[in-house]
Amino acid sequence: MTNKELADLMYPHVTKTIEDYEKIFPKRNLKDGAMVSRYAPSPTGFVHMGNMLSCFIENIVPKRTGGKFYLRIEDTDQKREVAGGINNIISAMKTIGLSYDEGVISEEEELGSYGPYIQSKRRDIYHAFAKYMIENDLAYPCFCEAEEIEEIRNIQKENKERIGYYGEYAKCRNLTNDERAEKIKAGMPYTIRIKSRGDFNKRVKFHDEVKGDIEFPENDQDMILIKSDGMPLYHFAHLVDDHLMRTTHVLRGEDWLPSVPLHLELFDMFGFERPKYAHLGLIMIVDSNGTKRKISKRKDKDFAVKHYHEIGMPSYAMQEYLMTIANSNFEAWREENKDKPIEEFPFDFAKIGSSPLFDYSKLVNISKNYISTLSAKEVYDNLYTWCDEFDKDFLELITKYKDYTIDVLNIEREQEKPRKDFSCYSEIKSYIWYMYDELFSDVTYEWQNINDIKEINTILKTYIDKYYDINDDKDTWFSKIKLLCDELGYASNIKDYKKNPDAYKGSVVDVSMVIRVAVTTKKATPDLYDILKLLGTDRIKTRIDKIK
Ligand code: GLU
C-alpha cells in the first residue's frame, strides 16, 4: 500500500490541500517589518496578571510596526476547559484595555479573515496537514496504548536512557502501510506521530528574542501531533495555526522553550518560514515581606484579572505598570515623555528580565498617580461606570448630586500637586461618603487629643456661632480659627505651643481636628476649608448638633 493510499484511508473526508489553505490564507499584505503577534490562551479559567503581561506585550509590539495582533483560543485539551473560559479571557483583556485586530470576540463570533480562531473549529485544517505528512512519509499512525508507552518508559529508566518515543523504541514507526491499514480497518484507535529526522547528537541553534542565542540537541522524538480523538496537540496546532495565520512573532511562556527543536523541525519539514520566538520567564510575585515566589491560583486571588475589574483599577494604570515589568527602562522614558502614548515607547524584547516580578504596591502607586492627574469630571465618569456595575446605591446618590459630587471629587484636584488618594474606583466611596447626608448616620467619630464631649461642644458652638462664615476666603477662614483658639485658651501658633505647652489647653491643630472630625467623623481628610464650603452652613450646624 502506498503512503497516498494510507493517507486516503485515514482521512477520506479531507478534500482541501495545503496549497488550497495557503490560497485561502495568503501572506498578509503588510509593510516590511510589520509584526503579526497573537495571544493564544487555553480557556482554563484563571486569567491572571502574568497572562496579561504576555498579552500586553503581544498587543503593543505590532502597533509600532503597522502589524496585527489577534486572539486565538487554544481549546484542544477539552478536559482542562472551564465553562465561560472564553468570556473570562475576553473580559480580562477588556479590563486591561487590550484590543485586538482579529480573533474571537465572543463564544459565537469572530472577526478577521484568517479564522476560525478557535482551535476546536479547525479540525479539518489540521487533518489536511496531517494527511500531507502521511502522504510524504513525515508522520505515521501509532497504535501503542498507554501500557505499552509505560513499558517503554520503564525499560528506559532501568537502562538509564533518555525517556521517550524515539529510535528503536518508536515501535510503530516501522510498521508497513499494510499493517497500518489493517489495524485502522479493524477500528484500532491511533495517534499520529511525527517521523522525526532529527539526530540527538547534533545541535540546533536559534535566536530567541528575549533570551538570545540558544542551542539544543536536535529533536529525535516521534512526538504525538494528533491525539486519538482527532484533535491536535499544541506542537502541531502551533505549526498549522501560526503558519496559516501568518504569525511573525510567537511570544509564550518559557516552559515551551525545550519544544523549539521540535517546532523548528516541523516548520522546516513543510518548508515554511520559521516564526521568531520570544520566551517569557514565569512571572513571580513579590510578597509584602519582599520575598519572591510563584503565583498560586489558590492563594493569589488578587492576582486574577477579575479582581482588578471588581475593584475598578484603571486600565491605563495597569498598562503602564505592565510596561515597567516588561522593560525596566520604561520608567525613565515615561519621565521624559509624559504625554506620549505608551505604544511609542521603543519596546525591546531583549530588555525583558529573566523572571518578571509582580509588585502590587508599585501598581497601586502608579494608579494613584494616574488618577490624581484626571479631571474631576473624568473621575466622576469613571466612578459612574464602576458604580453602575458594582454599587447601585452609590450610583443613585452620585447621579442625584452630580455637580456636587464633581465638586467633592475636585477637592485638591486640578491643581499643580493634586492629592493622591485613590488607586481604584471602588475606594472612592470610603473617602467621600461623609459628604452625603444619606450616608451620615450611625457614625463613629475619630476624636483625637480633645475628646471630652463638653469641650468639643464648646469649641464647635463657639466656632459656628461666632467665627464660621461660608463667604470667607481661605486665609480669613484660617485666621478666624486662630481667633477661636485665642478665645478658648488654645495656642493659635504651633511654635508658641511647642515652646510652652503648659500655657495652653492645646493648639490650633487640636481645634481644627475637632472641627474636621465633627463634620466628617474622620481624622484624615482632604482640605477642611473646601469640605466645609461644600457642606454649607446649615449642614455643618446639623452635624454639630448631632454631637452629644
Ligand atoms: N495555549 C498555549 C499556552 O497557554 C499557548 C502558548 C503559545 O502562545 O503558543 O501555554
Side-chain angles (χ1 to χ4, degrees):
M1 177 178 252
T2 63
N3 290 333
K4 167 100 182 60
E5 283 161 348
L6 179 66
D8 285 337
L9 173 71
M10 290 168 70
Y11 294 108
H13 305 295
V14 168
T15 49
K16 288 199 179 72
T17 64
I18 295 185
E19 289 72 40
D20 294 335
Y21 284 116
E22 302 238 300
K23 275 190 205 124
I24 302 172
F25 307 110
K27 243 180 131 76
R28 290 168 185 270
N29 194 5
L30 299 171
K31 64 177 193 202
D32 275 359
M35 291 176 173
V36 178
S37 65
R38 81 291 193 279
Y39 177 47
S42 303
T44 52
F46 184 60
V47 186
H48 57 67
M49 289 298 275
N51 303 130
M52 286 299 107
L53 174 63
S54 47
C55 183
F56 167 69
I57 298 172
E58 283 151 339
N59 160 280
I60 206 105
V61 155
K63 287 192 179 155
R64 278 188 11 251
T65 64
K68 297 269 180 223
F69 167 59
Y70 67 88
L71 170 65
R72 180 170 78 222
I73 298 295
E74 309 218 320
D75 61 343
T76 56
D77 189 357
Q78 294 183 325
K79 281 196 278 325
R80 288 176 60 222
E81 235 182 276
V82 161
I86 295 182
N87 286 332
N88 276 349
I89 291 161
I90 293 170
S91 41
M93 290 176 74
K94 253 193 213 137
T95 299
I96 313 287
L98 302 175
S99 57
Y100 42 98
D101 304 300
E102 290 171 16
V104 179
I105 52 173
S106 75
E107 304 224 343
E108 296 81 31
E109 290 164 284
E110 40 182 61
L111 193 78
S113 42
Y114 285 81
Y117 296 89
I118 298 188
Q119 288 184 331
S120 55
K121 297 185 178 161
R122 300 175 60 78
R123 230 178 136 91
D124 290 350
I125 306 181
Y126 302 125
H127 288 184
F129 278 63
K131 188 173 187 184
Y132 170 89
M133 290 185 87
I134 300 284
E135 277 170 5
N136 291 282
D137 198 29
L138 301 171
Y140 59 88
C142 168
F143 303 90
C144 288
E145 290 179 17
E147 301 79 62
E148 287 172 276
I149 301 289
E150 189 54 33
E151 216 172 282
I152 294 175
R153 209 186 156 81
N154 289 336
I155 297 171
Q156 289 168 337
K157 267 195 194 156
E158 220 170 84
N159 297 349
K160 298 205 165 43
E161 290 174 309
R162 278 190 301 126
I163 307 292
Y165 203 83
Y166 61 93
E168 64 188 80
Y169 293 112
K171 289 206 280 187
C172 292
R173 184 175 174 131
N174 300 320
L175 294 177
T176 64
N177 282 346
D178 288 326
E179 285 166 328
R180 288 169 177 153
E182 204 176 300
K183 288 179 193 287
I184 291 168
K185 282 182 193 151
M188 275 181 81
Y190 59 88
T191 59
I192 307 288
R193 288 185 184 268
I194 179 176
K195 191 168 178 181
S196 175
R197 310 297 205 258
D199 177 349
F200 188 74
N201 297 311
K202 288 194 186 143
R203 311 286 287 174
V204 53
K205 291 184 186 156
F206 63 94
H207 180 78
D208 186 276
E209 299 295 306
V210 177
K211 300 185 180 291
D213 291 334
I214 299 205
E215 234 190 89
F216 274 122
E218 283 184 7
N219 173 63
D220 66 347
Q221 303 259 351
D222 286 357
M223 298 292 287
I224 296 179
L225 302 179
I226 296 201
K227 294 178 286 183
S228 55
D229 64 3
M231 287 298 243
L233 275 182
Y234 172 79
H235 314 294
F236 195 53
H238 158 49
L239 163 87
V240 175
D241 296 348
D242 283 316
H243 174 67
L244 287 184
M245 295 179 187
R246 308 294 176 171
T247 310
T248 63
H249 285 69
V250 171
L251 179 82
R252 59 188 180 188
E254 69 183 1
D255 43 333
W256 292 114
L257 190 60
S259 305
V260 174
L262 167 65
H263 300 161
L264 295 180
E265 186 180 7
L266 281 166
F267 275 87
D268 293 351
M269 266 181 174
F270 280 83
F272 295 158
E273 194 178 331
R274 296 171 169 186
K276 290 203 160 64
Y277 289 104
H279 288 90
L280 202 60
L282 196 66
I283 194 163
M284 306 276 273
I285 287 200
V286 186
D287 260 338
S288 44
N289 58 11
T291 49
K292 296 174 197 169
R293 60 172 178 79
K294 280 191 190 166
I295 298 164
S296 135
K297 187 169 172 173
R298 229 171 357 98
K299 267 204 272 175
D300 298 315
K301 298 240 167 6
D302 289 3
F303 202 58
V305 181
K306 199 163 159 265
H307 168 74
Y308 296 92
H309 176 62
E310 286 165 1
I311 64 172
M313 181 74 81
S315 52
Y316 179 91
M318 286 189 280
Q319 291 199 18
E320 290 280 305
Y321 176 61
L322 289 174
M323 193 59 114
T324 68
I325 319 185
N327 268 192
S328 56
N329 55 329
F330 172 65
E331 280 166 277
W333 179 86
R334 179 48 93 209
E335 203 46 46
E336 297 291 308
N337 300 279
K338 289 213 163 65
D339 299 323
K340 284 204 177 145
I342 197 164
E343 48 267 26
E344 282 185 29
F345 169 66
F347 174 84
D348 184 356
F349 278 111
K351 289 208 172 83
I352 298 182
S354 55
S355 62
L357 286 181
F358 187 80
D359 180 350
Y360 186 71
S361 55
K362 194 161 174 187
L363 167 59
V364 166
N365 271 335
I366 288 181
S367 193
K368 278 187 178 169
N369 275 329
Y370 166 66
I371 296 182
S372 78
T373 64
L374 299 180
S375 70
K377 174 69 169 57
E378 286 167 321
V379 176
Y380 177 87
D381 290 342
N382 297 339
L383 175 65
Y384 185 97
T385 309
W386 183 83
C387 287
D388 196 25
E389 189 169 355
F390 296 105
D391 190 345
K392 291 281 189 224
D393 291 342
F394 198 42
L395 181 77
E396 211 181 300
L397 275 184
I398 66 165
T399 309
K400 186 167 163 196
Y401 305 114
K402 179 172 175 184
D403 293 341
Y404 171 74
T405 302
I406 294 175
D407 289 340
V408 169
L409 292 169
N410 204 18
I411 299 178
E412 290 186 60
R413 180 177 296 283
E414 298 183 21
Q415 59 189 32
E416 204 183 321
K417 284 213 166 103
R419 193 179 169 91
K420 295 171 182 173
D421 278 336
F422 338 114
S423 65
C424 54
Y425 297 108
S426 63
E427 282 174 355
I428 294 184
K429 187 179 179 183
S430 71
Y431 280 87
I432 66 169
W433 62 270
Y434 53 76
M435 297 304 285
Y436 302 87
D437 288 342
E438 287 84 343
L439 303 177
F440 204 90
S441 54
D442 296 329
V443 291
T444 318
Y445 295 94
E446 297 176 358
W447 302 118
Q448 297 297 301
N449 289 348
I450 304 172
N451 51 25
D452 174 61
I453 287 295
K454 250 179 91 189
E455 180 64 7
I456 288 171
N457 271 314
T458 307
I459 294 172
L460 294 171
K461 291 269 181 307
T462 317
Y463 180 58
I464 199 74
D465 292 345
K466 276 177 82 175
Y467 294 104
Y468 186 68
D469 182 344
I470 194 157
N471 298 313
D472 285 343
D473 63 23
K474 198 163 177 178
D475 289 342
T476 316
W477 168 79
F478 193 57
S479 62
K480 285 191 178 170
I481 292 186
K482 287 181 165 187
L483 290 177
L484 170 72
C485 289
D486 294 341
E487 179 177 337
L488 297 179
Y490 291 89
S492 54
N493 182 313
I494 311 267
K495 271 195 202 140
D496 294 347
Y497 178 66
K498 282 205 175 133
K499 249 189 259 161
N500 194 2
D502 293 340
Y504 304 98
K505 288 201 273 182
S507 79
V508 63
V509 174
D510 301 317
V511 171
S512 312
M513 181 60 81
V514 166
I515 303 169
R516 183 188 304 277
V517 176
V519 295
T520 68
T521 77
K522 302 183 83 62
K523 62 176 195 247
T525 70
D527 191 81
L528 182 57
Y529 171 78
D530 290 338
I531 290 177
L532 292 174
K533 219 170 160 93
L534 282 173
L535 285 174
T537 315
D538 288 348
R539 282 204 288 170
I540 301 172
K541 275 193 178 146
T542 315
R543 288 189 183 192
I544 286 177
D545 286 343
K546 262 177 96 133
I547 296 160
K548 293 272 154 26

